[in-house]
Amino acid sequence: MKKIGLLLLAGLAFVSCNNQKSNNSLNQEIEKIAQSKNAEVGVAVLGIENRELYSFNGNKHFPMQSVYKLHLALAVLNQVDEGKLLLSQKIQLTADNLLPNTWSPLREKYPRGDTAVLLSEIIGFTVSQSDNNGCDILFGLVGGPGYINNFLHNKGIAEVSIISTEQEMHLNPNLQFENWTTPLAAVQLLDMFYNKKMVSDSSTQFLLQLMIETTTGPNRIKGQLPHGTPVAHKTGSSGKNSDGITAATNDIGIVELPDGTHYAIAVFVTNSTEPEEINDQIIAEVSLAAYNYFLQQTNTKN
């Protein structure tokens, strides 16, 4: 993988490390992990404060699965910022929007579907617990996948496509490949989000906390990091198809280092014939390699 000198990505300049030896050490580690398994892997890592950027298959399209619930949440919170929605407003739950046979802790909490809950709670279920019914309720509230897609493109995030809801993907699994991003676009989103270029300060803090509270994918980005490392992340998973192929095992997030600096990381695993635990392990190993690299950088400066 070539060292990135200067990459202009949708108006954001990401400057890579000037230390060729250190840069190669991280590049080689990521490449070694990515190429050691029967899967296609895409990685992008960005030091939020120092702007160092690394990628492997960074411009390749990867199916997002539930990673796109982060994109959706940002669009919803943008409408909150504009006064079109309120976190305190009540959303009516019904049998029609609490579909069976899909992942939905929201439905498990409100099985009768005859109550109204706060918008903030639905966003929480959708982001922290990756609730599929919550996701589609939010899609319906803001205008559907097309609205989210336009919101992202208008923010300058070009390499992303959102065209279908969770229910539509459930009915036609091939649609998951139309809901894609590149790893580089994923870290661009994370960087803009963290730096409050997507939504307001209060909405940023609200969503970051939900991502920190994420209960899915504990063995992915967080899996091999030191216990207690602050990680705000969003996972996506497809499960295996009838041919034993996993279309998506993903995790993207923001990791805080001991000195208070951060890096954004996106790892996508697709077309994998590996067991689920190996797909998780790929993400965890890439995450640890990035953590150790940036930790070494901060220790060197001190």
Side-chain angles (χ1 to χ4, degrees):
M1 180 169 49
K2 295 181 180 179
K3 176 178 180 289
I4 304 171
L6 178 66
L7 173 64
L8 184 64
L9 179 59
L12 294 179
F14 292 143
V15 182
S16 74
C17 178
N18 291 321
N19 186 322
Q20 180 72 50
K21 182 176 181 181
S22 295
N23 191 355
N24 279 342
S25 69
L26 179 58
N27 287 349
Q28 290 171 3
E29 184 68 15
I30 291 174
E31 188 169 358
K32 179 181 177 182
I33 295 165
Q35 293 184 335
S36 66
K37 303 295 190 298
N38 293 316
E40 296 178 33
V41 180
V43 179
V45 184
L46 170 69
I48 290 179
E49 286 82 11
N50 68 15
R51 316 310 294 163
E52 295 180 20
L53 176 69
Y54 309 92
S55 75
F56 178 83
N57 287 330
N59 289 307
K60 180 180 172 63
H61 295 183
F62 287 87
M64 284 188 284
Q65 279 286 341
S66 289
V67 162
Y68 83 164
K69 290 169 182 168
L70 172 58
H71 303 63
L72 168 60
L74 286 166
V76 173
L77 289 171
N78 180 67
Q79 289 203 4
V80 171
D81 293 339
E82 293 176 344
K84 297 176 181 177
L85 298 172
L86 297 172
L87 290 177
S88 60
Q89 75 184 72
K90 294 289 188 72
I91 307 299
Q92 184 65 43
L93 299 182
T94 68
D96 290 335
N97 61 25
L98 291 179
L99 300 176
N101 303 319
T102 192
W103 172 253
S104 184
L106 179 66
R107 184 192 60 237
E108 299 306 311
K109 183 174 180 179
Y110 302 105
R112 296 174 62 184
D114 57 356
T115 188
V117 301
L118 295 175
L119 174 60
S120 59
E121 185 175 6
I122 294 179
I123 298 172
F125 271 100
T126 301
V127 174
S128 298
Q129 300 187 54
S130 207
D131 193 286
N132 291 338
N133 283 324
C135 175
D136 285 355
I137 290 170
L138 294 178
F139 269 130
L141 193 63
V142 298
Y147 173 84
I148 314 303
N149 206 52
N150 290 336
F151 166 75
L152 296 167
H153 291 176
N154 288 337
K155 287 289 187 177
I157 303 171
E159 292 301 303
V160 63
S161 172
I162 297 178
I163 69 155
S164 59
T165 64
E166 284 284 355
Q167 175 64 1
E168 288 167 341
M169 282 196 291
H170 179 76
L171 295 174
N172 180 2
N174 287 329
L175 286 176
Q176 69 182 301
F177 298 102
E178 303 299 321
N179 293 324
W180 57 262
T181 188
T182 66
L184 285 170
V187 297
Q188 180 194 6
L189 176 87
L190 291 166
D191 179 52
M192 291 179 66
F193 162 51
Y194 185 81
N195 284 299
K196 305 178 181 64
K197 296 178 180 179
M198 296 294 293
V199 291
S200 68
D201 180 72
S202 59
S203 290
T204 298
Q205 295 307 315
F206 172 71
L207 186 50
L208 274 172
Q209 186 58 41
L210 293 180
M211 293 170 68
I212 289 170
E213 295 170 358
T214 290
T215 58
T216 58
N219 297 320
R220 297 182 190 178
I221 286 177
K222 296 176 66 174
Q224 296 185 22
L225 299 185
H227 180 71
T229 299
V231 178
H233 67 123
K234 184 69 201 79
T235 59
S237 307
S238 66
K240 284 189 179 294
N241 65 17
S242 58
D243 295 321
I245 298 172
T246 301
T249 304
N250 308 326
D251 205 1
I252 73 172
I254 298 165
V255 179
E256 183 175 318
L257 293 157
D259 70 341
T261 59
H262 309 79
Y263 63 88
I265 180 169
V267 189
F268 296 87
V269 181
T270 190
N271 290 329
S272 174
T273 58
E274 302 284 0
E276 179 182 356
E277 57 269 23
I278 298 300
N279 294 330
D280 286 352
Q281 180 184 326
I282 293 169
I283 297 174
E285 289 181 355
V286 170
S287 177
L288 181 61
Y291 182 90
N292 286 338
Y293 172 75
F294 283 106
L295 183 63
Q296 182 183 33
Q297 293 296 93
T298 61
N299 288 340
T300 300
K301 291 177 182 178
N302 295 332

